[in-house]
Amino acid sequence: MDCTKYFDFEDRGQCEELAALLFPDVRETPADMFARYPERKLPEGAKVTRFAPSPTGFLHFGGLFPSMVGERLAHQSGGVFILRIEDTDAKREVKGAAASLMETLAYYGIKFDEGATADGEKGDYGPYYQSGRKDIYHVFAKQLVTEGKAYPCFSTDEELEELSKQDMKTVVKEKDRHTDPEAMREKMLGQRKFTLDEVRESLAKGEKFVLRIRSDGNPNEKHPFTDLVKGKLTVPENDEDFVLLKSDGIPTYHFAHAVDDRLMGTTHVIRGEEWLPSLPKHLQLFRYLGFKVPKYMHIAQIMKLEGGAKKKLSKRDKGANMNDYKKMGYAPECVSEYVMTLLNSNYEEWHRANPDKKYTDFPFSINKMSSSGCLFDFAKLDDVSKNVLARYTADEIYRGLTEWAEEYDPDFASVLEKDPDYTLRALSIGRGGKKPRKDFGIWSECKAYMGFYYDGLFVITEQLPENTDKEDAKRILTEFAEIYDSGDDQQTWFDKIKQTGEKLGYISDMKVYKAEPEKYKGSVADVSGIIRLAVTGRSSSPDMYEVMRVLGKERVRARLTAYAESI
Ligand code: GLU
């Protein structure tokens, strides 16, 4: 073939002709797009961020991360937080996934200002589903062809099949890309050799094409780049003529990312670090399109410890699916706060100094984010949860617990709700003050913790200490049952416990007892322990005086007597 007949990318006339052939229906220009989506009027320093999930499944723990960062950065700066649904891969799309993602995000208190919502789309920069933006992408695709920066690649059905397989793995791993880079390069350059007549012919036959970028990059050329999380990087130029539009006219992630984030005015692109290898492509695209490059924040993957080694938290791991936490019994605030401890290294310190503040009061800072993988750990989550729930009021606990129980333990829910006032009084013990009790971190632990308040759930779970004289125990319980009165003040109540023990040779002065324990049968602590076991069924409980008042005189007496009889 005569090479001079090949399409000449430097010839503006030819490029315009090609653009008109490929996109005959596109009449708008990028200028029209910029007029339709004008620059946002926001205060100085305001950040525009977006969470851009693909509706391919549930919200992953690793997805809550970027969404929380985006939310904090936007709302802390008076900016805008957008929910964009990246549904360009119909094959991987899961029905109902977008709705369920929205529900889960709302459950974790993540609020968006713009974007997809359960009741349609909200905001002036939509559509917020990429599937609704095809016309917009085509305007910019046409522009690139007009400028000789993109070209069509007509393929046979088999080739298209292969291409669509590749597109399914949207993240291109550089090392897997070519086994023989030279041969690939030859092939790629070969694709650029076509004539306008060939294009006309293929189009007339109804053949499909993908649109490829005409890359000018040299991978040996590397440029410094600063990622706000990863720090200073060196990014090679992209030399691959990667696909911009698939054969159905739908954009690849790369192209949609550049167009959408430009038009939506995104200032900070916050996404998982698995996108870092694609950065050379994105930088090239922004340059080709004449767009200002946004700031990038590539968030480290979440790791877990397995057999002493760090591994990526995979979709199937416990804790990966954000919908599972509810069933496990975690309040959403506990999980959010835990994520915060992983996101900002100074969060816990701040929280200790400001125990009554919410995580949304914390001055979140990009500088304090870890550039390497955060370790996911249930023990730490439980610890954080206990601290969070310790600050809840009895009302808040009641609401969270009954809501959880109604769904996952309805029998327990009906026990709790039978006498709400009684349950609230039980839950109030040990709350408030400087050192609130930290008895439970998850709702599913509550039954074991507070079951003893309810006769139907009350069981003696422990035994009297070995050295307890059974006859003494019996007498302590029966005698105390006779004199116990829930109207007594704390001092009178305690004096009665002391008296009961003293009669049997249990000393009340702990100092004296500790100096010569062998001289006594035991101390007032032993006496209290026996009573506690009879009343609560175990050796530790919240403040006994308060617990007994909640239980009431009749119930306390009945338990003391019943246990005395069982010994
Ligand atoms: N749809 C992409 C994903 O789910 C979004 C990446 C991004 O935030 O740009 O990974």
Side-chain angles (χ1 to χ4, degrees), residues 50-54 84 86 253 257 261 269-272 274-275:
R50 84 298 188 274
F51 182 50
S54 303
R84 182 170 75 221
E86 305 214 321
Y253 167 77
H257 154 51
D261 283 318
V269 171
I270 303 154
R271 62 186 182 187
E274 67 274 18
W275 291 108

Side-chain angles (χ1 to χ4, degrees), residues 98 383 440 478:
D383 196 46
F440 50 85
T478 20

Side-chain angles (χ1 to χ4, degrees), residues 146-247:
T146 310
E147 292 174 356
K149 293 170 180 161
Y151 64 94
C153 191
F154 288 87
S155 317
T156 61
D157 283 349
E158 296 85 71
E159 280 166 340
L160 278 176
E161 173 80 0
E162 187 48 37
L163 264 175
S164 80
K165 270 192 217 145
Q166 281 174 23
D167 287 343
M168 281 172 73
K169 307 185 237 142
T170 337
V171 185
V172 180
K173 290 201 180 106
E174 294 299 311
K175 67 174 166 39
D176 301 339
R177 220 179 74 205
H178 311 317
T179 36
D180 184 349
E182 272 315 304
M184 282 305 292
R185 178 126 198 103
E186 272 309 299
K187 187 169 176 229
M188 196 180 78
L189 292 178
Q191 288 171 341
R192 295 182 186 177
K193 292 181 180 156
F194 57 86
T195 66
L196 275 176
D197 280 341
E198 283 168 348
V199 171
R200 270 189 212 98
E201 235 168 77
S202 300
L203 288 172
K205 279 195 257 167
E207 278 175 17
K208 298 214 166 116
F209 66 90
V210 298
L211 191 75
R212 289 183 179 278
I213 196 165
R214 182 173 157 246
S215 176
D216 64 354
N218 172 359
N220 298 322
E221 290 289 332
K222 297 188 168 74
H223 304 279
F225 183 83
T226 303
D227 179 281
L228 297 189
V229 174
K230 294 274 163 197
K232 287 196 176 15
L233 306 170
T234 315
V235 180
E237 289 180 1
N238 168 62
D239 69 330
E240 184 196 345
D241 283 6
F242 62 92
V243 175
L244 301 174
L245 292 180
K246 295 180 260 185
S247 57

Side-chain angles (χ1 to χ4, degrees), residues 327-341:
K327 190 167 171 189
M328 286 189 261
Y330 289 95
E333 296 81 4
C334 298
V335 180
S336 310
E337 202 147 307
Y338 170 58
V339 171
M340 216 59 185
T341 64

